[in-house]
Amino acid sequence: MLRRLKSHLDTTMDKFLSTETKDENSKPSKFEYSRPEFLHLNDEKLKVSQDFANRPIVTPSDQLPFNAGYAECINGGKSNLNEDQSSFKQYFVDLEICELKEVSAESADIGKETEMQAIGKVPKFTLTYFGMFDGHAGPDAALMTSRLLHKHIMERLQSRIEVIKYKLWSNDSENKTENGSGNEVDKFGPLGNISVDSIIVGAVEESFVAMDEQIKREKSTFSIRGGCAVIVAIFAMGKLFVANAGDCRAVVYNKGKAVRLSRDMTPYSERQRILALGMAKPELLHEEFTCYEYLKRVTRSDIGKPILYRGPFMAGWGYKIADQDDLKVPLITSTGNKSRLMQTIGVARGFGDHDLRLYDSNIFMKPFLSAYPEVCVFDLKTADLQTNDVLVIGSDGLWDLMSIEEVYKSVNNVLQLYDTRNLKRYISAAQELVTIARGTLNGGNWKRKNGEPGSFDDISVFVIPLVHS
Ligand code: MG
């Protein structure tokens, strides 16, 4: 097996997935391939959006919540379809009657934000959801997630709405005596000092896992190829909740300062979790992989000699005498964005990939890939927001090519060109980011202005203003 692994050192994801694809082709699709619903592409426009040669940049004609901007373009031939997906939804939350209701995209209310209103001391507010999903090895997992993840989240928030109402109510000191001695423990269980934020974060975390479970369950019926990185931003009650599982990225630009609300979850950045799992359950490694990292690949001629190694819980490097076990393939190879789990996959969290296994083997990667997100809460009320402050959410097609500073410069330059009341300013900012990351066609290659290669990946970007008036 070791020889076989070595011979597949450069094997691509597609090759690893070849066994999966054969089975999947015989099943129906759960959702027919399309671009994000809010783009409303008809068949003709859909075909145009798939033009690899020209890679047109597609923007929405509809108004998005907060007049947010969005733009996307297909990859340069990396896969047959655009495997990125995006979505948005808006809800009206009425705590008085404990109801969370979707605001339809056609409604006149879309795009506006209802501030928390203390009507009879029971708040009502708008909750706005944006999602971006970067698929790999097939479009299905990202497509399904873009259509369903918000339902999982809203279902769970609805089921906790009474607790949220109680918490908000009892936090108001005037109501403490009135509500503090009631039968809340019987109704909600002991709440301790758990905050409303924690209840929302918990609901989102559970929803991510439930969505991944649904993909796993429905794979027996539908063709759900590949997996996807997932990032979600929820604006509610003056706060911004960003949940991330993968390598899409969300950055807030507040008064010219960048605040990252997500970290890229590569096998290397998740090494402690992955290697610790391998150490605790060595049967998952099938005697082929090792949980150690080595400064350089160990060969037979190293056996019996001192080598530098690093174990799952080590930050520094230790010394050991190389033995036969050190000839196994490291579970994680390379570092940063180039790191790979089992030499195959470059993201360590996300949905799908339930059948992903090493070529011609029964070694599955899923136990090492996690669907749990990290959730970051940004307080918009205390941030002293300025007119041009934005949240930029992008797939790695953007961020692999542009630094956080470059993105800021570009967005700021575009926003300066437009009057603040112009509804197109955020769409133009998103469009410009995709244009820069993609580059222009030059002698058959996509090149950036600085002469460097443009992104070969699918590129998707939201530019969302933080001041909503
Ligand atoms: Mg990508």
Side-chain angles (χ1 to χ4, degrees), residues 50-97:
Q50 286 168 238
D51 178 355
F52 296 109
N54 293 303
R55 304 177 73 189
I57 296 173
V58 184
T59 57
S61 48
D62 277 3
Q63 192 186 356
L64 268 55
F66 317 141
N67 300 319
Y70 175 82
E72 64 165 48
C73 84
I74 197 164
N75 62 79
K78 182 184 156 202
S79 55
N80 297 333
L81 299 165
N82 186 338
E83 294 178 348
D84 282 1
Q85 287 291 341
S86 301
S87 64
F88 78 79
K89 294 284 168 191
Q90 206 162 36
Y91 300 82
F92 187 69
V93 185
D94 186 338
L95 288 185
E96 189 166 14
I97 54 169

Side-chain angles (χ1 to χ4, degrees), residues 78 84 134-135 247-248 395-398 400 457-459:
K78 182 184 156 202
D84 282 1
D134 182 345
D247 60 0
C248 293
S395 59
D396 64 345
L398 173 80
D400 281 353
D457 201 355
D458 303 308
I459 311 168

Side-chain angles (χ1 to χ4, degrees), residues 374-417:
E374 273 179 6
V375 189
C376 195
V377 186
F378 184 81
D379 194 337
L380 297 161
K381 297 188 298 288
T382 57
D384 186 21
L385 297 174
Q386 312 287 301
T387 312
N388 285 348
D389 286 354
V390 291
L391 166 69
V392 176
I393 302 176
S395 59
D396 64 345
L398 173 80
W399 297 108
D400 281 353
L401 268 286
M402 292 181 77
S403 67
I404 284 174
E405 293 72 30
E406 266 183 287
V407 167
Y408 171 70
K409 252 189 216 163
S410 166
V411 169
N412 207 38
N413 285 345
V414 174
L415 295 184
Q416 304 282 356
L417 299 175

Side-chain angles (χ1 to χ4, degrees), residues 243-342:
N244 177 49
D247 60 0
C248 293
R249 201 183 280 178
V251 181
V252 152
Y253 294 97
N254 176 210
K255 289 192 289 182
K257 228 179 88 193
V259 184
R260 280 192 67 164
L261 299 188
S262 67
R263 67 179 179 92
D264 305 340
M265 290 155 171
T266 64
Y268 190 74
S269 70
E270 295 270 296
R271 61 179 282 280
Q272 282 219 331
R273 177 180 64 75
I274 292 170
L275 297 180
L277 177 60
M279 197 69 122
K281 294 191 170 183
E283 66 275 15
L284 296 175
L285 308 175
H286 293 254
E287 292 287 317
E288 301 292 347
F289 292 94
T290 168
C291 291
Y292 287 148
E293 294 170 66
Y294 305 98
L295 198 60
K296 70 175 235 343
R297 190 67 183 267
V298 182
T299 61
R300 285 196 179 280
S301 62
D302 294 316
I303 292 181
K305 295 178 187 165
I307 50 165
L308 278 164
Y309 82 101
R310 193 155 70 156
F313 304 105
M314 293 170 70
W317 291 87
Y319 263 109
K320 77 191 287 290
I321 300 298
D323 59 28
Q324 197 71 22
D325 269 359
D326 297 311
L327 295 177
K328 290 176 184 169
V329 181
L331 193 51
I332 296 170
T333 41
S334 295
T335 56
N337 288 350
K338 289 194 169 62
S339 66
R340 292 287 179 273
L341 169 67
M342 294 182 175

